């Protein structure tokens, strides 16, 4: 009967020892981060209701997930939503520019991040922008500055540029907070 209890106790002892060793070196651990960002998306090819071009500054939100698999590299899923309807000129498609209407588009991209130092990360990836008015393929490049508020919380400032293939270009600047999970 005593041997039946010794195995679970032994397991808990070794599990606790392994876990405490990982806590001593957090820079070697794999990390998951989940963040929320409030931003403004800038589009230079905006079209007003009267048909004239206008620079658009549109409110947007982002929810970003990252998996840090080494000291400098991470991969993640970054999702942005522009919370307005707008129209843009499809200047990248052909010489005859057409108006493209977008309604609350959600842009999702698989991103690879490289962090050469303590604070800055360089990001590159691809994905799509999805809206009921049509879907677009995109390439995204970005720069992010992260400042650790505590062991589990980070403040982020980022700039990203989305190139929607055969459509238009936009860039966003944002400020957010991320929760770090070890």
């Amino acid at each position: 009967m005593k041997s039946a209890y010794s195995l679970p106790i032994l397991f808990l002892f070794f599990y606790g020892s392994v876990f405490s060793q990982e806590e001593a070196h957090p820079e070697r651990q794999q990390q998951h981060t989940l963040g929320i960002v409030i931003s403004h998306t800038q589009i230079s090819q905006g079209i007003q209701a009267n048909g004239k071009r206008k620079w658009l500054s549109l409110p947007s939100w982002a929810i970003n997930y990252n998996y840090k698999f080494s000291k400098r590299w991470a991969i993640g899923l970054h999702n942005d939503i522009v919370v307005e309807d707008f129209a843009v000129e499809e200047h990248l498609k052909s010489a005859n520019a057409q108006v493209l209407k977008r309604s609350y588009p959600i842009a999702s991209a698989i991103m690879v991040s490289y962090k050469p130092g303590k604070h800055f990360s360089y990001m590159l990836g691809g994905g799509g922008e999805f809206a009921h008015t049509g879907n677009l393929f995109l390439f995204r490049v970005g720069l992010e500055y992260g400042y650790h508020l505590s062991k589990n919380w980070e403040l982020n400032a980022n700039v990203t540029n989305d190139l929607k293939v055969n459509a238009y270009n936009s860039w966003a600047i944002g400020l957010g907070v991320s929760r770090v999970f070890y």
Side-chain angles (χ1 to χ4, degrees):
M1 184 89 167
K2 290 182 182 179
S3 64
Y5 292 110
S6 62
L7 187 58
I9 291 170
L10 196 60
F11 173 76
L12 290 174
F13 175 77
F14 283 116
Y15 179 77
S17 298
V18 169
F19 185 76
S20 65
Q21 287 174 357
E22 287 180 8
E23 287 295 317
H25 304 287
E27 69 277 358
R28 295 183 187 166
Q29 291 180 352
Q30 298 171 350
Q31 296 179 1
H32 301 269
T33 60
L34 184 61
I36 187 163
V37 179
I38 186 168
S39 57
H40 270 83
T41 299
Q42 309 294 318
I43 303 170
S44 64
Q45 302 93 354
I47 302 291
Q48 295 178 341
N50 62 9
K52 292 185 179 180
R53 284 186 67 161
K54 178 184 179 185
W55 186 287
L56 301 176
S57 182
L58 306 168
S60 54
W61 289 90
I63 297 175
N64 299 335
Y65 166 77
N66 289 300
Y67 171 65
K68 186 175 179 181
F69 56 88
S70 75
K71 185 178 180 181
R72 302 203 186 281
W73 291 94
I75 189 166
L77 178 64
H78 293 200
N79 304 286
D80 305 353
I81 182 169
V82 175
V83 290
E84 275 192 25
D85 294 333
F86 60 96
V88 295
E89 183 180 71
E90 286 185 295
H91 80 289
L92 300 176
K93 194 166 190 172
S94 66
N96 317 3
Q98 296 180 0
V99 174
L100 175 66
K101 294 186 180 187
R102 307 302 287 158
S103 179
Y104 289 77
I106 297 173
S108 294
I110 301 291
M111 301 295 291
V112 175
S113 301
Y114 175 71
K115 191 171 191 171
K118 186 175 180 180
H119 297 288
F120 283 100
S121 294
Y122 302 101
M123 302 177 292
L124 181 66
E129 181 181 270
F130 309 99
H132 76 275
T133 56
N135 301 330
L136 304 170
F137 184 74
L138 69 85
F139 291 106
R140 179 176 291 168
V141 62
L143 176 67
E144 183 171 79
Y145 181 87
Y147 178 78
H148 282 278
L149 299 171
S150 70
K151 179 182 173 187
N152 295 327
W153 291 97
E154 186 176 68
L155 185 64
N156 307 104
N158 66 26
V159 177
T160 58
N161 185 23
D162 288 357
L163 175 63
K164 283 80 170 187
V165 177
N166 293 330
Y168 67 101
N169 191 17
S170 67
W171 62 276
I173 185 166
L175 184 64
V177 64
S178 296
R179 174 78 160 101
V180 180
F181 300 94
Y182 293 95

